[in-house]
Amino acid sequence: MIKIENLTKIYNSRKRKKCKALDNINLVLPDNGLVFILGKSGSGKSTLLNLIAGLDKITSGKITVNGNEVSKFKRKEYYNYRSSNIGFIFQHYYLLEDLTVYQNIKLALDIINQKNKKQIYELIEKVGLKGKEHKLPTELSGGEQQRVAIARALIKNPSLILADEPTGNLDKNTSEQVLKILKEASKKALIIIVSHNKEEADLYADRIIELHEG
């Protein structure tokens, strides 16, 4: 469970004016399910995602994940939290172009010193990429690359998956395929998706959170 209390994030701009990206956010999120965070550009969506991930510092308030306050983590605890408990999915995939599909997914396990060749192949089949294990990202379509990114996020069996505009570069049919995979995965993990697409949220979300100017 994620508990967010009185969360505020303030940035200092180049002109030395303070910009309040998030203003006193209070939320409780469950252990599993598909949650969409909607809002216009600049509303604070990605900032909220980054704070939950421990990628940015909180100005005030707190985020508690499974009883542990994220802002109080030491460096090693932050590393363990992100590498073992969180899967990341981005709009631009961030696959290593000189590694195959199999190798890109395997890399997520290498980072946490785990090996499970069978699970990698099972997951490749699950996301619809069977037969493309040894292809490079440049040999795949955008939708196929995003499915590799999803498999890479899922391979660690994380309790939390954070997805920033995962369908932003995809056509409607491919977006549906990606969201169906994430919906199935949300039965066992909490998946938080930042998006501009209200139509997708209405179709797939268990909960929709809308942000407006923080």
Side-chain angles (χ1 to χ4, degrees):
M1 182 179 75
I2 298 176
K3 189 174 184 180
I4 299 172
E5 301 172 84
N6 305 316
L7 182 65
T8 295
K9 176 63 181 179
I10 298 174
Y11 292 105
N12 291 318
S13 70
R14 293 178 181 177
K15 296 181 180 180
R16 297 184 179 179
K17 292 182 179 180
K18 292 182 178 180
C19 173
K20 188 175 284 188
L22 292 173
D23 186 10
N24 197 39
I25 301 293
N26 289 275
L27 290 170
V28 176
L29 301 175
D31 291 332
N32 64 294
L34 191 58
V35 176
F36 270 72
I37 300 176
L38 301 180
K40 295 180 180 179
S41 295
S43 62
K45 305 185 304 299
S46 294
T47 297
L48 180 56
L49 215 64
N50 288 338
L51 292 176
I52 293 172
L55 297 173
D56 203 352
K57 291 184 178 181
I58 294 169
T59 302
S60 63
K62 62 181 181 179
I63 298 174
T64 306
V65 180
N66 296 327
N68 299 305
E69 191 175 338
V70 173
S71 61
K72 291 184 177 180
F73 283 168
K74 296 179 181 178
R75 182 178 295 181
K76 186 175 181 180
E77 290 173 319
Y78 267 125
Y79 174 79
N80 290 335
Y81 170 62
R82 288 193 291 261
S83 62
S84 300
N85 299 314
I86 302 178
F88 295 95
I89 303 170
F90 303 98
Q91 180 178 354
H92 298 292
Y93 323 135
Y94 294 113
L95 303 177
L96 297 181
E97 293 187 358
D98 57 340
L99 297 183
T100 64
V101 168
Y102 176 89
Q103 291 168 333
N104 266 282
I105 299 169
K106 179 178 177 290
L107 186 61
L109 289 181
D110 292 340
I111 291 171
I112 56 174
N113 295 315
Q114 290 187 14
K115 295 181 180 180
N116 196 326
K117 186 175 181 179
K118 181 181 178 183
Q119 185 183 3
I120 295 173
Y121 279 108
E122 288 176 347
L123 194 50
I124 286 172
E125 183 173 1
K126 186 175 182 180
V127 299
L129 293 174
K130 185 177 180 180
K132 300 188 178 183
E133 298 89 339
H134 304 298
K135 288 187 177 293
L136 296 172
T138 52
E139 300 175 285
L140 304 175
S141 68
E144 289 169 337
Q145 289 184 58
Q146 188 60 292
R147 279 182 272 166
V148 177
I150 291 172
R152 182 181 58 191
L154 293 175
I155 193 64
K156 300 183 295 184
N157 293 314
S159 58
L160 174 63
I161 295 175
L162 303 176
D164 196 352
E165 297 283 359
T167 61
N169 290 330
L170 307 178
D171 61 55
K172 185 175 181 179
N173 289 337
T174 308
S175 294
E176 289 176 358
Q177 294 171 9
V178 165
L179 289 168
K180 285 177 181 177
I181 293 169
L182 293 176
K183 184 69 174 180
E184 178 65 24
S186 72
K187 294 177 181 178
K188 296 181 179 180
L190 174 61
I191 299 180
I192 303 175
I193 296 178
V194 159
S195 177
H196 290 92
N197 196 316
K198 191 175 187 305
E199 182 181 350
E200 290 181 352
D202 288 337
L203 285 171
Y204 294 97
D206 297 307
R207 181 179 179 186
I208 298 172
I209 299 164
E210 293 193 52
L211 289 179
H212 176 68
E213 296 182 357

